[in-house]
Amino acid sequence: MSKRGYHHGNLREALVTAALRLIETKGPTGFTLSEAAREAGVTPAAVYRHFEGREDLIAEAARQGYEIFADLLDHAYDKGQPSALAAFESTGRAYLAFARRFPGHYVAMFESGISIQRTPALNAAATRALGVLEKAAEDLSEHIPADKRPPPQMFSAHIWAMSHGVVELFARGSPGTKSPFPPEDLLESGIGIYLRGLGLIKGDE
């Protein structure tokens, strides 16, 4: 195989792109660095100029994923417009959109076993993304009476868990799972029930 001419940061990015393809087809532990090198069209030795091992390569894929994730969430949140409730619901839908559009990144972030503490850059990206969810939850929680108000971190964690569950079970085509309803409808109705229980939206008359 003739090797491609990569220069500067191109090789590093080519390896991440190759890893993402392999993650999508084989899972985060189903490929080797040599396979990633072959997928990128370079020699195995070239990989070690940028990554010490497969975990470092996956961690970089996860970092890039969190950066994309944070940008999508921030765009959905839109500084709390047009209302705290609408912005909060939009962040949940953005979660589904991210999982569908960036499956390799999603797996690297949430299913690879790579800790977000692995590198400062990965931790910063993850913190920024989750910070958007917490900010949306904090804004919305201000509409709940203080004596009934859960901590914003708990509030956002509940929505994160609900979004993640819908993604894992129904939005990513997991074998043997099929929902009679679109994932977006499942998430919206689930969030609605949760918020209704907190008194943030009115029940059916």
Side-chain angles (χ1 to χ4, degrees):
M1 178 190 296
S2 62
K3 305 305 177 186
R4 301 169 194 164
Y6 291 112
H7 302 283
H8 306 297
N10 293 349
L11 173 56
R12 183 180 177 87
E13 191 56 37
L15 289 168
V16 173
T17 299
L20 288 168
R21 288 195 294 265
L22 290 167
I23 288 170
E24 287 184 36
T25 58
K26 296 187 174 185
T29 61
F31 70 96
T32 65
L33 275 181
S34 294
E35 286 180 280
R38 186 164 57 248
E39 180 78 12
V42 299
T43 63
V47 181
Y48 292 97
R49 299 174 192 169
H50 298 277
F51 302 101
E52 293 183 3
R54 182 181 62 187
E55 287 73 20
D56 287 334
L57 178 55
I58 295 173
E60 174 58 17
R63 182 199 68 77
Q64 292 184 13
Y66 272 113
E67 294 287 4
I68 297 168
F69 191 42
D71 288 343
L72 287 175
L73 290 175
D74 193 52
H75 179 76
Y77 173 58
D78 194 24
K79 299 180 181 179
Q81 300 301 316
S83 69
L85 177 58
F88 188 73
E89 293 174 331
S90 292
T91 59
R93 288 192 292 272
Y95 199 112
L96 291 181
F98 172 79
R100 282 175 161 164
R101 187 175 176 185
F102 302 97
H105 289 96
Y106 179 90
V107 172
M109 293 157 59
F110 298 120
E111 299 178 9
S112 67
I114 299 296
S115 170
I116 61 172
Q117 307 292 340
R118 187 177 182 90
T119 69
L122 174 55
N123 182 256
T127 299
R128 183 167 77 91
L130 301 180
V132 178
L133 289 175
E134 289 190 1
K135 175 59 177 171
E138 184 176 4
D139 289 349
L140 188 56
S141 70
E142 292 178 359
H143 297 270
I144 304 172
D147 60 336
K148 298 181 179 179
R149 184 183 305 164
Q153 293 85 355
M154 179 183 292
F155 200 67
S156 62
H158 287 160
I159 299 303
W160 183 18
M162 194 181 305
S163 302
H164 194 75
V166 170
V167 166
E168 285 295 310
L169 291 173
F170 304 118
R172 295 185 55 238
S174 300
T177 60
K178 183 178 180 180
S179 171
F181 306 101
E184 290 81 3
D185 291 352
L186 285 173
L187 182 60
E188 185 173 349
S189 62
I191 290 176
I193 291 169
Y194 176 75
L195 297 180
R196 188 174 295 112
L198 291 172
L200 281 168
I201 58 178
K202 295 180 179 179
D204 296 331
E205 298 295 331

